[in-house]
Amino acid sequence: MEQSKAPIYEALKRFKSMRVVPFDVPGHKRGKGNPELTSFLGQQCMDVDVNSMKPLDNLCHPVSVIREAEELAAEAFGAKHAFFMVNGTTSAVQAMVFAAVKEGEKIILPRNVHRSAINALVVNGAIPVYVNPGVNKALGIPLGMSVKEVEKAIENNPDAKAVFVNNPTYYGICSDLKKVVEIAHRAGMLVLVDEAHGTHFYFGDNLPVSAMEAGADMASVSMHKNGGSLTQSSFLLINNYVSEGYTRQIINLTQTTSGSYLLMSSLDLSRKNLALNGKEIYRKVLELADYARGEVNKIGGYYAFGRDLVDGDAIYDFDLAKLSIHTRDIGLAGIEVYDMLRDYYDIQIEFGDIGNILAIISVGDTPLMIERLISSLSEIERIHRKPSAGMFDHEYISPEVIMTPKKAFYSDKKSVPIEKSAGMVCSEFVMCYPPGIPILAPGEMITPDILDYIAYAKEKGCFMTGAEDINIDYINVI
């Protein structure tokens, strides 16, 4: 296929030239009904914020330009089919889970998944079988899925229907995806990959294997995170053993019937850009990231980690486009450095947690931006460094699962002061966002270690979400 084509974008340009009089939605009628918004976003944006119609196809049941754009995306990513997702990668992750497992069926997954995966279990009632990731004790971060642990989970749960893998993790750590796929397929299980941070794996060199190349059955890809499309736009990729028609039915259970043409055209044009120029784009991205890692490590105190962590198992590979930096040795939590970068230096990085920060290096970065980040980190270290004694030393606590997320979430519950909740079963989520990996999920035992972690995260300024009580002074328990 001609990857230089962008069918949705081209159809929108043709539509604009027709000067159609709108008596349909959206009600702003090409911006005339909301002049302030039109002035803010621009007339061209409002002109293409349109409804589904015959010349522009329909996202729920594409037969023309959206269908062609999906086929181009599938070819670019090496998939059997690619679905345009406009409810974010959250909806792609949930569609994978809904398509693979039903209520009462088991799914094997790491516990350090994004909340979207556990939310899917709350909705559809599948039973999680957690493979607890290893933890790097020096950095305090969860790792990938050990092949031995996956084999053990499959052996103990031969009736499971699917294996779910984060690849890469938020920190850039990758599992041995090919081996996991091989083991799961031998057991008759599907492999679902949350590849939210792995768009570049499909287009760059010297990067970890992509889900489709590894033979996974489904993958959710956040094109907006690393690929240049607009926020909330993603792809859901499927491989040979998954039904395209059934997957679309599943997607249509939750995805909007009013697909945004702003989001879809951004996916279309971003796919075109990466298909034509991706290797050169990501060569530059990796050069910038490698330079930044080296310069940060020269500062002293920080540790910008990379493939030096690889152990061939739970850290099978590392995403070199990730600038993950350990901060605890300068006496500052990651969230403290995150806040300082934003408040004092006008630099917004992806996230800061208890001991680490993450800066995303991607298609839009420049050498000047990298230099500004490095110099700011150097100044923070010089001015704010302090002893690290007494700092919390790990990001992940293995949960004790008492009941399924669905049963716990919908059970009768009561609200108790969080400091008095140890020994009770949680019926809601508690997490720092980003990254959105639950500290507690519905159905898990609340332990003193978890309460210490939550108190420390709140003290350091982490943005805590998920609970009904916005301040998380109280928590819902069974």
Side-chain angles (χ1 to χ4, degrees):
M1 300 181 72
E2 292 184 45
Q3 289 293 332
S4 59
K5 295 183 68 177
I8 299 172
Y9 162 72
E10 292 159 11
L12 286 168
K13 289 186 72 175
R14 287 194 300 271
F15 177 75
K16 279 182 64 178
S17 70
M18 294 164 61
R19 302 181 67 182
V20 171
V21 178
F23 285 102
D24 61 349
V25 297
H28 61 69
K29 302 299 176 80
R30 314 294 188 263
K32 295 180 181 67
N34 197 335
E36 188 174 14
L37 182 62
T38 303
S39 175
F40 179 59
L41 295 181
Q43 186 61 56
Q44 188 159 332
C45 173
M46 303 301 280
D47 282 345
V48 295
D49 182 37
V50 293
N51 192 26
S52 296
M53 61 190 74
K54 203 164 189 179
L56 299 178
D57 210 355
N58 188 301
L59 181 60
C60 295
H61 186 79
V63 295
S64 58
V65 294
I66 296 176
R67 177 77 188 182
E68 185 182 358
E70 287 181 342
E71 290 169 352
L72 283 161
E75 181 183 77
F77 283 86
K80 176 178 124 178
H81 195 75
F83 299 90
F84 278 48
M85 306 298 292
V86 296
N87 284 22
T89 310
T90 287
S91 68
V93 167
Q94 292 172 349
M96 291 197 303
V97 174
F98 295 160
V101 286
K102 302 178 180 68
E103 183 160 10
E105 294 180 341
K106 294 179 182 177
I107 180 170
I108 296 167
L109 69 167
R111 175 53 179 75
N112 59 324
V113 290
H114 188 263
R115 63 178 294 177
S116 57
I118 302 179
N119 279 344
L121 304 181
V122 168
V123 174
N124 87 333
I127 301 169
V129 176
Y130 290 127
V131 175
N132 280 318
V135 175
N136 181 293
K137 293 182 179 179
L139 303 177
I141 62 172
L143 307 178
M145 292 175 81
S146 161
V147 168
K148 289 181 181 178
E149 290 298 316
V150 174
E151 286 180 319
K152 182 179 175 182
I154 289 175
E155 184 179 332
N156 292 338
N157 300 273
D159 55 339
K161 301 297 182 182
V163 177
F164 185 103
V165 188
N166 291 335
N167 206 69
T169 69
Y170 234 122
Y171 300 96
I173 291 166
C174 297
S175 304
D176 186 350
L177 197 53
K178 284 186 175 180
K179 190 68 175 176
V180 169
V181 169
E182 178 188 323
I183 295 166
H185 282 176
R186 195 186 308 139
M189 300 177 191
L190 296 174
V191 178
L192 322 177
V193 182
D194 181 351
E195 212 168 22
H197 286 267
T199 304
H200 47 305
F201 291 3
Y202 292 88
F203 302 99
D205 293 322
N206 195 30
L207 285 165
V209 66
S210 70
M212 292 295 102
E213 186 182 351
D217 301 288
M218 307 181 82
S220 54
V221 180
S222 282
M223 194 69 162
H224 69 94
K225 286 185 171 70
N226 301 92
S229 67
L230 293 178
T231 295
Q232 203 175 308
S233 60
S234 299
F235 287 120
L236 174 57
L237 309 177
I238 61 171
N239 236 332
N240 292 325
Y241 298 114
V242 178
S243 163
E244 176 193 336
Y246 180 65
T247 303
R248 196 179 300 281
Q249 287 182 322
I250 292 292
I251 290 168
N252 286 340
L253 290 175
T254 55
Q255 180 155 260
T256 179
T257 56
S258 303
S260 167
Y261 281 87
L262 297 174
L263 299 183
M264 287 189 282
S265 60
S266 79
L267 283 170
D268 202 19
L269 287 170
S270 298
R271 179 272 314 154
K272 172 186 171 183
N273 183 36
L274 295 186
L276 298 178
N277 308 304
K279 286 194 181 296
E280 178 61 16
I281 287 170
Y282 289 117
R283 182 188 66 77
K284 293 177 181 177
V285 166
L286 292 181
E287 283 180 0
L288 288 174
D290 189 56
Y291 171 75
R293 249 188 307 276
E295 292 301 304
V296 168
N297 284 331
K298 289 177 185 176
I299 294 171
Y302 296 113
Y303 173 33
F305 47 94
R307 279 193 173 146
D308 48 304
L309 295 180
V310 169
D311 63 7
D313 186 25
I315 314 175
Y316 184 76
D317 204 347
F318 189 85
D319 174 11
L320 294 173
K322 287 277 193 301
L323 184 58
S324 299
I325 303 171
H326 189 60
T327 66
R328 199 170 58 237
D329 290 342
I330 65 168
L332 295 173
I335 187 62
E336 293 175 308
V337 176
Y338 170 97
D339 286 340
M340 288 177 185
L341 285 169
R342 184 194 60 245
D343 296 343
Y344 304 157
Y345 300 94
D346 295 330
I347 292 174
Q348 182 63 57
I349 57 173
E350 176 66 12
F351 81 84
D353 53 30
I354 300 303
N356 304 274
I357 59 173
L358 170 65
I360 297 289
I361 313 298
S362 195
V363 294
D365 287 300
T366 66
L368 182 61
M369 293 165 64
I370 298 295
E371 293 293 354
R372 186 170 164 183
L373 174 61
I374 293 166
S375 63
S376 299
L377 287 170
S378 179
E379 191 166 291
I380 288 171
E381 186 275 336
R382 180 173 57 84
I383 296 173
H384 299 284
R385 184 169 186 157
K386 59 186 179 182
S388 59
M391 297 189 70
F392 212 91
D393 65 355
H394 56 283
E395 298 290 344
Y396 176 75
I397 300 171
S398 298
E400 183 182 349
V401 179
I402 306 300
M403 63 180 68
T404 67
K406 181 176 182 178
K407 183 177 180 182
F409 188 82
Y410 291 110
S411 289
D412 291 339
K413 63 192 73 173
K414 63 181 179 179
S415 178
V416 300
I418 191 165
E419 69 272 11
K420 296 181 179 179
S421 65
M424 300 178 182
V425 178
C426 185
S427 68
E428 59 184 354
F429 288 95
V430 179
M431 69 199 85
C432 301
Y433 193 87
I437 297 167
I439 302 166
L440 275 170
E444 295 177 358
M445 179 68 73
I446 302 170
T447 65
D449 281 350
I450 289 171
L451 293 180
D452 288 345
Y453 182 100
I454 291 171
Y456 186 83
K458 288 172 69 175
E459 176 192 334
K460 290 299 182 182
C462 290
F463 183 58
M464 308 293 290
T465 69
E468 186 174 340
D469 174 20
I470 195 169
N471 296 316
I472 315 188
D473 294 324
Y474 290 80
I475 190 167
N476 288 334
V477 299
I478 302 301

